[in-house]
Amino acid sequence: MTEHPDLQRRSLLCTAAVTVAVLGTTTAATTQPLLEKAIMPTLHAFESQTTLKPLAFDPAKLSGLSERLIRSHWENNYGGSVKALEVVKKHLAEALANKDTPPYIYNALKREHLLRTGSVVFHEDYFDNLGGNGQAGATERKVIADAFGSFDTWETEFRRIGAGLGGGSGWVMLGFNTHTHQLENYWLADHAHGPAATLPLLVMDMYEHSYQMDYGAAAAKYIDAFFKNIQWEVVARRIETARQVSRT
Ligand SMILES: [Fe+2]
């Protein structure tokens, strides 16, 4: 089976992070060629992925989130952003090549580029951290408890941020800030609102399209359902990547 191009890209980025960690004590002259190889992008800056990343779980088997909702969300909202990003990047390339393109017109495209990129990345993070049994393992619980005082404190804050976004739009993220080296929950008002220097560990979509089909305006019921379906094994792998980065 051919690996999805986005997975290849993610794998390279992960490899880059690990490489930085592993090579921390070697000389710059030694590490430079290896780093250049590790972070070599798979896509040109003006290209984007053309296919949707498949769901890693059977959408008919989630608890409290219908197959109809998940398939519609994946195909129409996530898929719409994948297609839109592809179109935006083509327009950017054409606009850049045209010396008469006004900068404010160019930046209108760059704004859409930022939003659509965030939508694609956060949606892939979101679907990837669904499909589990909602039971956090001992390691994840300890890492989170150490950062927040208790696992329950973390969950309370994560849920409260989600509740505050109910009826509107945005994302909730448990993230590792590679600058402050802190594990924190973040409020994101939209797809372009990613916290600085932060690796997403757990992402919850709070746009109404995430739950309206199943729960109407009852966002709290959706949050309960989300927690029942968290794929904590994915979160654990993201925590391990964050640990590698934090050692650099
Ligand atoms: Fe969404």
Side-chain angles (χ1 to χ4, degrees):
M1 180 188 296
T2 303
E3 190 175 22
H4 185 277
D6 186 59
L7 297 181
Q8 294 174 346
R9 176 170 60 83
R10 296 285 169 78
S11 175
L12 281 168
L13 290 172
C14 184
T15 302
V18 173
T19 303
V20 169
V22 170
L23 299 178
T25 57
T26 57
T27 65
T30 304
T31 60
Q32 192 62 25
L34 290 171
L35 285 174
E36 286 177 359
K37 184 178 180 182
I39 63 172
M40 186 65 69
T42 56
L43 290 172
H44 186 279
F46 288 87
E47 293 176 341
S48 64
Q49 67 189 73
T50 56
T51 57
L52 278 61
K53 185 177 183 181
L55 293 171
F57 56 86
D58 182 348
K61 294 185 176 175
L62 295 190
S63 174
L65 296 172
S66 70
E67 179 178 7
R68 182 165 163 260
L69 168 70
I70 294 295
R71 287 200 183 281
S72 175
H73 191 178
W74 179 82
E75 181 177 340
N76 296 307
N77 302 105
Y78 161 59
S81 282
V82 169
K83 290 168 185 156
L85 182 58
E86 188 181 2
V87 170
V88 166
K89 288 212 162 187
K90 285 178 181 170
H91 279 280
L92 279 167
E94 291 167 4
L96 186 62
N98 182 354
K99 64 180 177 52
D100 295 327
T101 302
Y104 51 87
I105 295 296
Y106 195 80
N107 278 357
L109 284 168
K110 289 304 287 185
R111 176 185 178 277
E112 201 63 29
H113 166 224
L114 186 65
L115 283 165
R116 297 296 181 167
T117 298
S119 178
V120 169
V121 172
F122 291 146
H123 274 111
E124 291 185 0
D125 287 342
Y126 171 73
F127 288 120
D128 281 350
N129 61 220
L130 282 178
N133 62 11
Q135 300 298 312
T139 301
E140 304 93 88
R141 292 186 71 89
K142 182 177 187 315
V143 167
I144 291 172
D146 286 348
F148 287 84
S150 73
F151 188 85
D152 287 347
T153 300
W154 162 76
E155 182 172 332
T156 297
E157 189 191 38
F158 193 95
R159 284 174 174 269
R160 191 160 300 173
I161 298 167
L165 287 165
S169 58
W171 299 85
V172 187
M173 176 196 294
L174 166 66
F176 175 71
N177 190 307
T178 62
H179 185 82
T180 65
H181 286 212
Q182 285 178 294
L183 212 65
E184 294 179 299
N185 287 323
Y186 292 96
W187 162 85
L188 284 66
D190 60 30
H191 305 312
H193 214 184
T198 295
L199 297 174
L201 304 180
L202 177 68
V203 169
M204 179 168 70
D205 193 336
M206 284 306 302
Y207 282 74
E208 271 196 320
H209 63 235
S210 307
Y211 56 88
Q212 199 278 335
M213 194 180 290
D214 284 354
Y215 294 111
K221 291 181 180 176
Y222 159 69
I223 295 171
D224 287 342
F226 172 83
F227 266 83
K228 288 177 185 169
N229 292 283
I230 294 174
Q231 176 51 277
W232 281 99
E233 291 177 10
V234 167
V235 179
R237 288 200 292 273
R238 292 173 181 169
I239 289 173
E240 185 53 37
T241 298
R243 276 182 166 155
Q244 299 281 358
V245 172
S246 71
R247 292 190 186 115
T248 63

